[in-house]
């Protein structure tokens, strides 16, 4: 028996396809001289599947500026977070939280090792991406990120990348892909 696996992306595709069916059916008149099926009667026990109310709401996610980047790397704190935010927002399956709503900066958890869960729950975030930047030498940068699930209050993923400073944008896209894959279960 083949198991059917439905991801958020597939659900959205199915919902849009089903929503377009009435438009396609109306646009295609039956050829002349052909019989058309009468609509099933309500008493015939027909099943009705209503896909108009299918819900696949975007996941609320908070992506504050990374921290740790100093000197020549200071701009990367904001730039990395912005590229990740744009990537996830543009796919339509995530709803990044406005940074103005953040109660505290992400680095506030640095001493305890975990985020202040109640601060992120208060703004409606279901996931949180935090990151740290450090320079290893003049030409290299180390970017660490953690993905947190706010509801069960646990870390889902933690990964570090070391690369040339010029390659920071590619690292941001890789982080966005990792977040997408961990939260949705498919390649980003």
């Amino acid at each position: 028996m083949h198991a059917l696996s439905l991801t958020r992306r597939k659900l959205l595709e199915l919902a849009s396809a089903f929503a377009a069916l009435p438009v396609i059916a109306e646009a295609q008149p039956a050829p002349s001289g052909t019989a058309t099926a009468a609509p099933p009667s309500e008493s015939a026990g027909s099943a009705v599947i209503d896909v108009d109310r299918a819900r696949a709401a975007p996941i609320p996610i908070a992506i504050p500026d990374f921290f740790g980047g100093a000197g020549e790397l200071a701009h990367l704190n904001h730039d990395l977070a912005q590229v990740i935010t744009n990537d996830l927002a543009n796919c339509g399956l995530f709803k990044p939280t406005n940074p103005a709503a953040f109660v505290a900066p992400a680095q506030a958890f640095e001493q305890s090792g975990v985020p202040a869960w109640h601060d992120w729950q208060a703004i409606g975030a279901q996931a949180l991406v935090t990151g740290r930047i450090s320079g290893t030498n003049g030409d290299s940068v180390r970017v660490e990120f953690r993905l947190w699930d706010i509801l069960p209050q646990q870390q889902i993923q933690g990964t570090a990348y070391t690369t040339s400073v010029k390659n920071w944008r590619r690292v941001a896209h890789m982080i966005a892909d990792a977040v997408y894959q961990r939260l949705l279960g498919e390649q980003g």
Side-chain angles (χ1 to χ4, degrees), residues 23-101:
V23 175
I24 294 169
E26 288 175 11
Q28 302 294 325
S32 61
T34 60
T36 58
S41 67
E42 294 295 326
S43 62
S46 62
V48 176
I49 299 173
D50 184 5
V51 294
D52 290 339
R53 293 191 179 109
R55 186 164 188 262
I59 298 170
I61 187 168
I63 308 167
D65 286 352
F66 284 28
F67 62 96
E72 293 178 15
L73 302 178
H75 70 93
L76 293 180
N77 293 329
H78 176 74
D79 293 349
L80 277 160
Q82 194 60 52
V83 170
I84 296 165
T85 299
N86 291 343
D87 282 358
L88 295 175
N90 289 336
C91 79
L93 299 174
F94 295 91
K95 181 183 174 192
T97 305
N98 184 340

Side-chain angles (χ1 to χ4, degrees), residues 6-170:
L6 290 178
T7 61
R8 275 183 179 264
R9 180 181 282 177
K10 289 178 185 173
L11 277 173
L12 287 172
E13 290 171 356
L14 283 172
S16 63
F18 278 117
L21 282 178
V23 175
I24 294 169
E26 288 175 11
Q28 302 294 325
S32 61
T34 60
T36 58
S41 67
E42 294 295 326
S43 62
S46 62
V48 176
I49 299 173
D50 184 5
V51 294
D52 290 339
R53 293 191 179 109
R55 186 164 188 262
I59 298 170
I61 187 168
I63 308 167
D65 286 352
F66 284 28
F67 62 96
E72 293 178 15
L73 302 178
H75 70 93
L76 293 180
N77 293 329
H78 176 74
D79 293 349
L80 277 160
Q82 194 60 52
V83 170
I84 296 165
T85 299
N86 291 343
D87 282 358
L88 295 175
N90 289 336
C91 79
L93 299 174
F94 295 91
K95 181 183 174 192
T97 305
N98 184 340
F102 297 166
V103 176
Q107 62 264 32
F109 79 91
E110 188 173 7
Q111 292 175 351
S112 67
V114 296
W117 304 112
H118 59 279
D119 288 348
W120 301 105
Q121 288 170 339
I123 63 170
Q126 292 179 7
L128 169 66
V129 176
T130 60
R132 172 192 302 268
I133 300 167
S134 57
T136 56
N137 63 36
D139 201 24
S140 294
V141 64
R142 178 180 169 89
V143 179
E144 303 172 32
F145 89 96
R146 293 183 185 199
L147 175 60
W148 306 89
D149 192 338
I150 300 300
L151 301 177
Q153 300 181 354
Q154 64 185 10
Q155 180 179 321
I156 300 173
Q157 182 166 345
T159 306
Y161 302 97
T162 301
T163 186
S164 72
V165 176
K166 295 175 185 176
N167 204 25
W168 71 266
R169 183 175 291 278
R170 178 67 190 125

